[in-house]
């Protein structure tokens, strides 16, 4: 068995043993090393030349060196250089090992620092949102009640009334004769107007050929926080189609002006993600619903929360504004639907769907406001009479939970979508399914909407697409989003389309001028 020098990795001519580390060294190499550093090269412990133990081995036979020439001197010089090279190589290996250990330690410290910074940023964001929620209450010395009417775009605040929005959460007032008469009068007016509109196509409505030439004209990705990305809800103002409102995973709702490309207001107050947003038909008021089980009413110009409606004890799954603009319909996973007064914040009625075992998933008023539909996790769409609070019709046929429903503005058609990657069209006059649009396998549908004329049906999900009503032909597919689209709305006269997505973007589609 041959011995190997721990410094040069060569067979030593004069092997010596270090009692400190137990390693074998070439005697001349270790002596040179000890003259520079009196420590064992391997362990770093003190070591002297006297401590070295010579190892008795059979000497290697070497040719006798020639004498009286310069060759021995050359060989001696080469030997010294070789020894120096071996020592330097060993020193470099040690330094490399030390550098690796130090780098590993520094990287660990950097990772720990990044984690601490991320946690602190999250705590700061939560504290700011909590502060924003408390600010409106800090300036009020006593409980207040906020009241506003159809003629007032800015609410008036007076003292001494108590918090009606919280009081209404505990008890419902019921469907009074006054409310029922108001609903009936509005329905009669809307029915008559619809009959008049149905006789002709609205002037200025986008044609089918123009719709086919729509392209993505603008993309906005900075409306919501990037730390918790995703836009979950979308709506467009009927009064001013340049005003768009979105709700996101970041627990905020954002009001955006499409023309100026500026944020009009940021509505902060919800404790969980905002899942539904509605812009009032005539007033600068927004209604938002969240997974925190609350519905909030906002005054957009001041970004102030006017009312907090606590009609449910679980996450809100559906939100719809009555055509009168005074009442809001909501559904939740607790199997209840509720009607609340937008003006007073009080709960009018709350009804449990006893036939549904797994919760409600969406809710939408019929354009007349007398009936409304709700979707269930049991694959059934239920039609309710608002005045009588009775379930008047059921539409089975889907497979999987109902994701979204939409009534056509003509009042005759209902579009529904579920987890079965299909869209079903229902005739409300005959109470039957007359058309089923089957999409690609695993196609996900998040939102359905008819335009104001009832001529187009928009679909948001795996992509964004538009169908022509009555013929139900596919007109256009937009694949601009990089994630699932969550919302779709038409601008006035379908002049443009807006869509939102989990990819944190709000996109607009229209017919570009050069076309």
């Amino acid at each position: 068995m041959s011995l190997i020098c721990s410094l040069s990795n060569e067979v030593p001519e004069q092997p010596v043993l270090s009692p400190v580390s137990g390693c074998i060294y070439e005697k001349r190499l270790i002596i040179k090393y000890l003259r520079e550093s009196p420590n064992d090269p391997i362990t770093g412990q003190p070591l002297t030349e006297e401590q070295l133990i010579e190892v008795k081995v059979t000497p290697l036979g070497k040719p006798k060196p020639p004498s009286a020439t310069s060759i021995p001197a050359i060989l001696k010089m080469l030997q010294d250089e070789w020894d120096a090279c071996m020592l330097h190589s060993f020193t470099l290996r040690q330094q490399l090992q030390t550098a690796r250990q130090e780098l590993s330690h520094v990287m660990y410290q950097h990772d720990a620092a990044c984690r601490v910074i991320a946690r602190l940023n999250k705590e700061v964001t939560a504290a700011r949102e909590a502060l924003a929620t408390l600010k409106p209450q800090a300036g009020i010395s006593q409980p207040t009640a906020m009241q506003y009417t159809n003629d007032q775009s800015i609410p008036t605040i007076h003292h001494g009334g108590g918090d009606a929005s919280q009081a209404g959460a505990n008890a419902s007032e019921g469907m009074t004769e006054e409310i029922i008469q108001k609903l009936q009068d509005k329905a009669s007016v809307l029915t008559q107007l619809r009959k008049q509109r149905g006789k002709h196509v609205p002037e200025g409505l986008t044609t089918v050929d123009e719709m086919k030439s729509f392209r993505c004209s603008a993309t906005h990705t900075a409306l919501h926080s990037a730390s918790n990305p995703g836009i979950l809800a979308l709506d467009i103002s009927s009064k001013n189609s340049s005003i768009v409102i979105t709700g996101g995973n970041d627990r905020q709702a954002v009001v955006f002006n499409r023309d100026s490309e500026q944020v009009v207001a940021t509505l902060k107050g919800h404790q969980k993600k905002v899942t539904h947003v509605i812009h009032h038909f005539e007033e600068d008021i927004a209604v938002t619903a969240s997974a925190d089980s609350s519905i909030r009413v906002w005054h957009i110009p001041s970004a102030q929360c006017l009312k907090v409606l606590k009609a449910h004890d679980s996450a809100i799954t559906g939100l719809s504004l009555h055509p009168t603009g005074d009442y809001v319909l909501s559904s939740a996973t607790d199997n209840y639907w509720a009607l609340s007064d937008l003006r007073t914040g009080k709960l009018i009625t709350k009804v449990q769907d006893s036939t549904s075992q797994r919760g409600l998933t969406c809710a939408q008023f019929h354009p007349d406001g007398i009936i409304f539909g709700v979707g269930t996790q049991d694959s059934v769409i239920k039609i309710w009479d608002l005045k009588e609070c009775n379930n008047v019709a059921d539409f089975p046929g889907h497979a999987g939970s109902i994701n979204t429903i939409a009534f056509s503005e003509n009042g005759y058609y209902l579009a529904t979508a579920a987890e079965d990657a299909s869209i079903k069209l229902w005739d409300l006059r005959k109470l039957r399914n007359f058309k089923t649009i089957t999409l690609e396998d695993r196609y996900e549908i998040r939102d359905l909407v008819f335009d104001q004329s009832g001529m187009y049906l928009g679909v948001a999900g795996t992509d964004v697409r538009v169908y022509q009503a009555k013929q139900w032909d596919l007109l256009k597919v937009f694949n601009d989003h990089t994630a699932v689209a969550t919302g779709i709305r038409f601008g006035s006269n379908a002049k443009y389309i807006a869509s939102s997505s989990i990819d944190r973007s709000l996109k607009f589609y229209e017919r570009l001028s050069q076309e």
Side-chain angles (χ1 to χ4, degrees):
M1 180 181 69
S2 61
L3 302 177
I4 302 299
C5 175
S6 297
L7 292 176
S8 64
N9 290 327
E10 300 287 342
V11 178
E13 296 179 2
Q14 290 182 301
V16 291
L17 174 67
S18 169
V20 175
S21 62
C23 296
I24 299 295
Y25 300 100
E26 176 67 50
K27 185 175 182 180
R28 67 174 188 281
L29 289 180
I30 189 61
I31 291 175
K32 289 181 181 180
Y33 183 91
L34 293 177
R35 288 174 183 172
E36 296 178 2
S37 175
N39 296 317
D40 187 278
I42 302 301
T43 63
Q45 297 179 0
L47 178 66
T48 62
E49 185 179 344
E50 289 75 19
Q51 290 181 281
L52 297 174
I53 303 172
E54 292 190 5
V55 179
K56 301 297 183 180
V57 295
T58 303
L60 297 174
K62 297 179 64 177
K64 295 182 179 181
S67 59
T69 66
S70 61
I71 293 179
I74 296 175
L75 293 177
K76 180 66 168 61
M77 180 184 64
L78 293 176
Q79 184 67 61
D80 292 341
E81 290 182 359
W82 172 258
D83 294 343
C85 181
M86 290 297 101
L87 290 174
H88 183 65
S89 175
F90 177 76
T91 303
L92 289 179
R93 290 201 302 270
Q94 280 191 322
Q95 292 175 351
L96 176 61
Q97 181 64 23
T98 303
R100 284 177 174 173
Q101 292 176 350
E102 292 177 353
L103 179 60
S104 175
H105 182 65
V106 170
M107 292 180 65
Y108 174 79
Q109 287 182 325
H110 178 268
D111 181 67
C114 289
R115 292 176 181 272
V116 172
I117 292 172
R119 179 175 57 82
L120 293 177
N121 284 337
K122 186 176 181 180
E123 292 177 356
V124 168
T125 302
R128 285 176 177 172
E129 293 177 354
L131 181 61
T133 305
L134 296 175
K135 273 184 179 179
Q137 302 177 3
I140 304 175
S141 57
Q142 301 177 13
T144 62
M146 303 180 184
Q147 297 179 348
Y148 53 97
T149 65
N150 286 327
D151 299 328
Q152 295 173 317
S153 60
I154 299 179
T156 58
I157 303 176
H158 62 85
H159 296 274
D163 193 341
S165 62
Q166 296 299 330
N170 298 322
S172 60
E173 294 185 334
M175 297 290 290
T176 63
E177 291 296 330
E178 180 183 357
I179 294 175
I180 293 176
Q181 186 61 44
K182 187 176 182 180
L183 300 178
Q184 188 61 55
D185 292 345
K186 187 65 175 180
S188 300
V189 172
L190 293 175
T191 302
Q192 187 63 31
L193 290 175
R194 185 183 306 107
K195 290 180 179 179
Q196 296 175 2
R197 290 197 306 267
K199 297 178 181 179
H200 59 274
V201 176
E203 184 178 354
L205 179 69
T206 297
T207 65
V208 171
D209 291 336
E210 290 173 340
M211 181 66 68
K212 291 180 179 179
S213 66
F214 271 28
R215 300 288 185 274
C216 181
S217 60
T219 300
H220 302 278
T221 58
L223 301 183
H224 290 267
S225 171
S227 60
N228 195 6
I231 301 178
L232 304 179
L234 170 69
D235 197 24
I236 296 177
S237 170
S238 300
K239 182 177 67 172
N240 181 0
S241 63
S242 64
I243 300 299
V244 181
I245 179 172
T246 60
N249 263 324
D250 59 357
R251 299 176 286 184
Q252 300 178 9
V254 176
V255 184
F256 180 75
N257 189 311
R258 174 176 175 263
D259 293 340
S260 64
E261 297 188 344
Q262 298 293 323
V263 173
V264 176
T266 301
L267 312 178
K268 300 180 179 180
H270 283 292
Q271 302 303 310
K272 293 183 179 180
K273 60 185 179 182
V274 178
T275 55
H276 299 82
V277 294
I278 296 176
H279 195 293
H280 198 277
F281 310 133
E282 301 173 350
E283 304 174 40
D284 290 330
I285 292 173
V287 185
T288 61
S290 168
D292 63 8
S293 76
S294 71
I295 301 169
R296 289 178 178 262
V297 184
W298 306 84
H299 180 239
I300 293 176
S302 63
Q304 291 286 332
C305 180
L306 304 177
K307 299 290 177 185
V308 180
L309 313 181
K310 293 292 292 184
H312 299 277
D313 297 324
S314 59
I316 308 294
T317 58
L319 190 70
S320 183
L321 186 61
H322 191 270
T324 59
D326 296 332
Y327 309 108
V328 62
L329 170 71
S330 59
S331 63
T333 55
D334 57 7
N335 270 0
Y336 281 91
W337 63 261
L339 184 70
S340 304
D341 192 319
L342 201 66
R343 310 299 179 179
T344 64
K346 293 182 179 180
L347 177 64
I348 296 175
T349 185
K350 183 176 179 180
V351 178
Q352 183 180 20
D353 184 358
S354 58
T355 61
S356 179
Q357 304 298 323
R358 301 169 55 196
L360 308 182
T361 58
C362 53
Q364 184 70 44
F365 271 120
H366 183 272
D368 288 345
I370 291 297
I371 62 173
F372 64 90
V374 296
T376 69
Q377 295 184 27
D378 299 328
S379 311
V380 179
I381 301 95
K382 297 177 178 290
I383 306 300
W384 289 75
D385 184 299
L386 183 59
K387 296 187 298 181
E388 303 295 333
C389 297
N390 288 333
N391 180 199
V392 295
D394 289 345
F395 292 152
H398 277 291
S401 176
I402 305 298
N403 291 338
T404 178
I405 64 174
F407 287 97
S408 172
E409 289 300 318
N410 63 16
Y412 302 145
Y413 299 143
L414 169 66
T416 62
E419 294 177 350
D420 55 4
S422 69
I423 302 172
K424 290 184 178 293
L425 285 308
W426 308 83
D427 190 325
L428 297 176
R429 296 164 294 186
K430 301 178 181 179
L431 299 180
R432 67 179 183 88
N433 171 223
F434 66 90
K435 176 72 175 180
T436 298
I437 302 174
T438 302
L439 304 176
E440 297 85 354
D441 188 29
R442 296 184 180 179
Y443 189 99
E444 185 175 357
I445 306 173
R446 290 290 190 91
D447 195 20
L448 295 173
V449 67
F450 285 93
D451 76 306
Q452 292 87 342
S453 68
M455 296 291 292
Y456 301 108
L457 171 64
V459 182
T462 302
D463 53 34
V464 176
R465 54 180 62 193
V466 179
Y467 289 88
Q468 182 183 9
K470 296 183 180 180
Q471 289 81 10
W472 310 112
D473 295 330
L474 178 62
L475 300 180
K476 189 68 177 180
V477 177
F478 304 98
N479 291 299
D480 300 88
H481 285 295
T482 59
V484 174
T486 56
I488 180 172
R489 291 292 184 273
F490 291 93
S492 177
N493 285 329
K495 290 299 183 183
Y496 77 90
I497 300 172
S499 67
S500 60
S501 170
I502 294 296
D503 64 9
R504 202 165 61 95
S505 69
L506 171 65
K507 293 183 180 291
F508 295 103
Y509 312 89
E510 59 188 323
R511 190 168 182 262
L512 302 181
S513 56
Q514 59 266 30
E515 298 180 0

